[in-house]
Short mmCIF file of all heavy atoms in Angstrom, two decimals:
data_model
loop_
_atom_site.label_atom_id
_atom_site.label_comp_id
_atom_site.label_asym_id
_atom_site.label_seq_id
_atom_site.Cartn_x
_atom_site.Cartn_y
_atom_site.Cartn_z
N ILE A 238 -4.17 21.70 31.57
CA ILE A 238 -2.89 20.99 31.54
C ILE A 238 -1.81 21.87 30.92
O ILE A 238 -0.67 21.91 31.41
CB ILE A 238 -3.02 19.65 30.79
CG1 ILE A 238 -3.93 18.70 31.59
CG2 ILE A 238 -1.65 19.02 30.55
CD1 ILE A 238 -4.13 17.35 30.95
N LEU A 239 -2.16 22.60 29.87
CA LEU A 239 -1.20 23.54 29.29
C LEU A 239 -0.75 24.55 30.33
O LEU A 239 0.45 24.86 30.44
CB LEU A 239 -1.83 24.28 28.11
CG LEU A 239 -1.92 23.53 26.78
CD1 LEU A 239 -2.74 24.32 25.78
CD2 LEU A 239 -0.52 23.27 26.22
N ALA A 240 -1.70 25.07 31.12
CA ALA A 240 -1.36 26.05 32.16
C ALA A 240 -0.43 25.44 33.20
O ALA A 240 0.54 26.09 33.65
CB ALA A 240 -2.63 26.58 32.81
N ALA A 241 -0.70 24.20 33.59
CA ALA A 241 0.15 23.54 34.58
C ALA A 241 1.56 23.33 34.04
O ALA A 241 2.55 23.45 34.77
CB ALA A 241 -0.47 22.19 34.97
N MET A 242 1.66 23.03 32.74
CA MET A 242 2.97 22.78 32.15
C MET A 242 3.74 24.07 31.86
O MET A 242 4.95 24.02 31.67
CB MET A 242 2.82 21.96 30.86
CG MET A 242 2.33 20.53 31.06
SD MET A 242 3.38 19.54 32.19
CE MET A 242 4.96 19.54 31.31
N GLU A 243 3.05 25.20 31.83
CA GLU A 243 3.72 26.49 31.57
C GLU A 243 4.86 26.70 32.56
O GLU A 243 5.95 27.14 32.20
CB GLU A 243 2.72 27.64 31.67
CG GLU A 243 1.84 27.82 30.46
CD GLU A 243 2.55 28.48 29.30
OE1 GLU A 243 3.73 28.85 29.44
OE2 GLU A 243 1.92 28.61 28.23
N ASN A 244 4.58 26.40 33.84
CA ASN A 244 5.60 26.57 34.87
C ASN A 244 6.09 25.22 35.39
O ASN A 244 6.78 25.15 36.40
CB ASN A 244 5.03 27.39 36.03
CG ASN A 244 4.61 28.78 35.60
OD1 ASN A 244 5.38 29.48 34.94
ND2 ASN A 244 3.39 29.17 35.93
N GLY A 245 5.70 24.17 34.69
CA GLY A 245 6.05 22.83 35.14
C GLY A 245 7.21 22.24 34.36
O GLY A 245 7.85 22.91 33.55
N ASN A 246 7.44 20.97 34.62
CA ASN A 246 8.55 20.25 33.98
C ASN A 246 8.18 18.77 33.90
O ASN A 246 7.01 18.41 33.99
CB ASN A 246 9.85 20.47 34.76
CG ASN A 246 9.69 20.15 36.24
OD1 ASN A 246 8.82 19.36 36.64
ND2 ASN A 246 10.50 20.76 37.09
N ARG A 247 9.17 17.92 33.76
CA ARG A 247 8.91 16.49 33.66
C ARG A 247 8.12 15.98 34.86
O ARG A 247 7.19 15.18 34.70
CB ARG A 247 10.24 15.73 33.56
CG ARG A 247 10.11 14.21 33.66
CD ARG A 247 11.47 13.53 33.69
NE ARG A 247 11.35 12.09 33.93
CZ ARG A 247 11.32 11.53 35.12
NH1 ARG A 247 11.38 12.30 36.22
NH2 ARG A 247 11.21 10.22 35.25
N ASP A 248 8.47 16.42 36.06
CA ASP A 248 7.76 15.94 37.25
C ASP A 248 6.28 16.31 37.20
O ASP A 248 5.42 15.52 37.61
CB ASP A 248 8.40 16.52 38.52
CG ASP A 248 9.79 15.94 38.77
OD1 ASP A 248 10.11 14.89 38.18
OD2 ASP A 248 10.54 16.55 39.56
N THR A 249 5.99 17.52 36.72
CA THR A 249 4.60 17.94 36.57
C THR A 249 3.88 17.03 35.59
O THR A 249 2.75 16.58 35.83
CB THR A 249 4.53 19.39 36.06
OG1 THR A 249 5.37 20.21 36.87
CG2 THR A 249 3.09 19.91 36.09
N GLY A 250 4.54 16.75 34.47
CA GLY A 250 3.95 15.88 33.46
C GLY A 250 3.71 14.47 33.97
O GLY A 250 2.68 13.85 33.64
N LEU A 251 4.61 13.97 34.80
CA LEU A 251 4.43 12.64 35.38
C LEU A 251 3.24 12.60 36.31
O LEU A 251 2.46 11.63 36.32
CB LEU A 251 5.69 12.22 36.14
CG LEU A 251 6.86 11.69 35.32
CD1 LEU A 251 8.04 11.38 36.24
CD2 LEU A 251 6.47 10.45 34.52
N GLU A 252 3.09 13.64 37.12
CA GLU A 252 1.96 13.69 38.04
C GLU A 252 0.64 13.76 37.28
O GLU A 252 -0.33 13.08 37.63
CB GLU A 252 2.11 14.89 38.97
CG GLU A 252 1.15 14.88 40.15
CD GLU A 252 1.34 13.67 41.06
OE1 GLU A 252 2.48 13.20 41.22
OE2 GLU A 252 0.31 13.19 41.60
N ILE A 253 0.61 14.55 36.21
CA ILE A 253 -0.59 14.64 35.38
C ILE A 253 -0.90 13.29 34.75
O ILE A 253 -2.05 12.84 34.72
CB ILE A 253 -0.41 15.73 34.30
CG1 ILE A 253 -0.39 17.12 34.94
CG2 ILE A 253 -1.51 15.63 33.24
CD1 ILE A 253 0.04 18.23 34.00
N ALA A 254 0.13 12.62 34.26
CA ALA A 254 -0.06 11.31 33.64
C ALA A 254 -0.63 10.31 34.63
O ALA A 254 -1.54 9.54 34.32
CB ALA A 254 1.26 10.80 33.05
N ALA A 255 -0.08 10.30 35.85
CA ALA A 255 -0.56 9.37 36.88
C ALA A 255 -2.02 9.65 37.23
O ALA A 255 -2.84 8.73 37.34
CB ALA A 255 0.32 9.46 38.11
N GLU A 256 -2.35 10.93 37.41
CA GLU A 256 -3.74 11.30 37.74
C GLU A 256 -4.68 10.92 36.60
O GLU A 256 -5.82 10.46 36.83
CB GLU A 256 -3.82 12.80 38.01
CG GLU A 256 -3.13 13.22 39.30
CD GLU A 256 -3.03 14.73 39.45
OE1 GLU A 256 -3.48 15.44 38.52
OE2 GLU A 256 -2.51 15.19 40.48
N THR A 257 -4.23 11.09 35.37
CA THR A 257 -5.04 10.72 34.21
C THR A 257 -5.29 9.22 34.19
O THR A 257 -6.41 8.76 33.94
CB THR A 257 -4.37 11.17 32.91
OG1 THR A 257 -4.15 12.59 32.94
CG2 THR A 257 -5.22 10.83 31.69
N CYS A 258 -4.25 8.44 34.45
CA CYS A 258 -4.39 6.98 34.46
C CYS A 258 -5.38 6.52 35.52
O CYS A 258 -6.20 5.63 35.28
CB CYS A 258 -3.03 6.32 34.70
SG CYS A 258 -1.89 6.44 33.30
N ILE A 259 -5.31 7.13 36.69
CA ILE A 259 -6.25 6.78 37.77
C ILE A 259 -7.68 7.10 37.34
O ILE A 259 -8.60 6.29 37.53
CB ILE A 259 -5.88 7.53 39.06
CG1 ILE A 259 -4.54 6.99 39.61
CG2 ILE A 259 -6.98 7.39 40.11
CD1 ILE A 259 -3.91 7.87 40.69
N ALA A 260 -7.87 8.26 36.72
CA ALA A 260 -9.21 8.65 36.26
C ALA A 260 -9.71 7.72 35.16
O ALA A 260 -10.89 7.35 35.14
CB ALA A 260 -9.18 10.09 35.76
N LEU A 261 -8.84 7.31 34.26
CA LEU A 261 -9.24 6.41 33.18
C LEU A 261 -9.63 5.05 33.72
O LEU A 261 -10.59 4.43 33.24
CB LEU A 261 -8.10 6.28 32.16
CG LEU A 261 -7.74 7.55 31.38
CD1 LEU A 261 -6.52 7.30 30.50
CD2 LEU A 261 -8.92 8.03 30.54
N ARG A 262 -8.91 4.58 34.72
CA ARG A 262 -9.27 3.30 35.33
C ARG A 262 -10.66 3.40 35.97
O ARG A 262 -11.47 2.47 35.86
CB ARG A 262 -8.23 2.89 36.37
CG ARG A 262 -8.51 1.53 37.00
CD ARG A 262 -7.42 1.12 37.97
NE ARG A 262 -7.28 2.06 39.08
CZ ARG A 262 -6.34 1.97 40.02
NH1 ARG A 262 -5.46 0.99 39.98
NH2 ARG A 262 -6.28 2.86 40.99
N GLU A 263 -10.93 4.52 36.61
CA GLU A 263 -12.24 4.71 37.25
C GLU A 263 -13.36 4.76 36.21
O GLU A 263 -14.51 4.42 36.51
CB GLU A 263 -12.23 5.99 38.09
CG GLU A 263 -11.36 5.88 39.34
CD GLU A 263 -11.22 7.19 40.08
OE1 GLU A 263 -11.67 8.23 39.53
OE2 GLU A 263 -10.65 7.19 41.19
N MET A 264 -13.04 5.17 34.99
CA MET A 264 -14.04 5.19 33.91
C MET A 264 -14.39 3.78 33.44
O MET A 264 -15.40 3.61 32.75
CB MET A 264 -13.51 5.98 32.71
CG MET A 264 -13.54 7.46 32.87
SD MET A 264 -12.97 8.24 31.32
CE MET A 264 -12.54 9.85 31.94
N GLY A 265 -13.53 2.83 33.75
CA GLY A 265 -13.82 1.46 33.36
C GLY A 265 -13.09 0.95 32.14
O GLY A 265 -13.43 -0.11 31.60
N THR A 266 -12.07 1.68 31.68
CA THR A 266 -11.30 1.18 30.54
C THR A 266 -10.54 -0.09 30.94
O THR A 266 -10.23 -0.30 32.11
CB THR A 266 -10.34 2.25 30.01
OG1 THR A 266 -9.78 1.81 28.77
CG2 THR A 266 -9.21 2.52 30.99
N ALA A 267 -10.24 -0.92 29.95
CA ALA A 267 -9.59 -2.22 30.22
C ALA A 267 -8.14 -2.07 30.66
O ALA A 267 -7.57 -2.99 31.25
CB ALA A 267 -9.66 -3.11 28.98
N GLY A 268 -7.55 -0.92 30.36
CA GLY A 268 -6.15 -0.74 30.76
C GLY A 268 -5.59 0.54 30.18
O GLY A 268 -6.30 1.34 29.55
N ILE A 269 -4.29 0.72 30.39
CA ILE A 269 -3.59 1.87 29.83
C ILE A 269 -2.37 1.38 29.07
O ILE A 269 -1.79 0.33 29.39
CB ILE A 269 -3.16 2.87 30.92
CG1 ILE A 269 -2.34 2.18 32.02
CG2 ILE A 269 -4.37 3.59 31.50
CD1 ILE A 269 -1.65 3.13 32.96
N HIS A 270 -2.01 2.15 28.05
CA HIS A 270 -0.84 1.84 27.24
C HIS A 270 0.13 3.00 27.39
O HIS A 270 -0.12 4.11 26.88
CB HIS A 270 -1.24 1.64 25.79
CG HIS A 270 -0.09 1.38 24.88
ND1 HIS A 270 0.85 0.40 25.13
CD2 HIS A 270 0.30 1.98 23.72
CE1 HIS A 270 1.76 0.40 24.17
NE2 HIS A 270 1.45 1.35 23.31
N LEU A 271 1.23 2.78 28.12
CA LEU A 271 2.20 3.83 28.40
C LEU A 271 3.24 3.92 27.30
O LEU A 271 3.85 2.91 26.93
CB LEU A 271 2.89 3.57 29.74
CG LEU A 271 1.98 3.52 30.97
CD1 LEU A 271 2.77 3.11 32.20
CD2 LEU A 271 1.30 4.87 31.18
N MET A 272 3.45 5.13 26.80
CA MET A 272 4.46 5.39 25.78
C MET A 272 5.44 6.42 26.35
O MET A 272 5.20 7.63 26.27
CB MET A 272 3.79 5.89 24.50
CG MET A 272 2.89 4.85 23.85
SD MET A 272 1.84 5.49 22.52
CE MET A 272 0.43 6.11 23.49
N PRO A 273 6.52 5.96 26.98
CA PRO A 273 7.36 6.87 27.76
C PRO A 273 8.34 7.71 26.95
O PRO A 273 9.02 8.56 27.52
CB PRO A 273 8.11 5.91 28.69
CG PRO A 273 8.24 4.65 27.89
CD PRO A 273 6.95 4.56 27.10
N VAL A 274 8.45 7.47 25.65
CA VAL A 274 9.38 8.21 24.79
C VAL A 274 10.79 8.18 25.42
O VAL A 274 11.41 9.22 25.65
CB VAL A 274 8.91 9.65 24.53
CG1 VAL A 274 9.68 10.27 23.35
CG2 VAL A 274 7.41 9.70 24.23
N ASN A 275 11.24 6.99 25.72
CA ASN A 275 12.57 6.72 26.27
C ASN A 275 12.77 7.16 27.72
O ASN A 275 13.87 7.00 28.27
CB ASN A 275 13.67 7.35 25.40
CG ASN A 275 13.74 6.68 24.03
OD1 ASN A 275 13.65 5.47 23.92
ND2 ASN A 275 13.87 7.49 22.99
N ASP A 276 11.74 7.68 28.37
CA ASP A 276 11.83 8.02 29.79
C ASP A 276 11.35 6.80 30.59
O ASP A 276 10.25 6.79 31.16
CB ASP A 276 10.96 9.25 30.10
CG ASP A 276 11.11 9.71 31.54
OD1 ASP A 276 11.95 9.13 32.28
OD2 ASP A 276 10.37 10.63 31.94
#
Side-chain angles (χ1 to χ4, degrees):
I238 293 180
L239 281 172
M242 292 303 298
E243 282 283 358
N244 299 311
N246 52 25
R247 171 186 174 272
D248 291 343
T249 310
L251 280 178
E252 192 61 34
I253 291 169
E256 291 171 358
T257 302
C258 288
I259 292 166
L261 294 175
R262 183 177 61 184
E263 290 173 352
M264 283 183 200
T266 190
I269 54 168
H270 177 52
L271 300 174
M272 295 169 275
V274 195
N275 294 317
D276 185 5

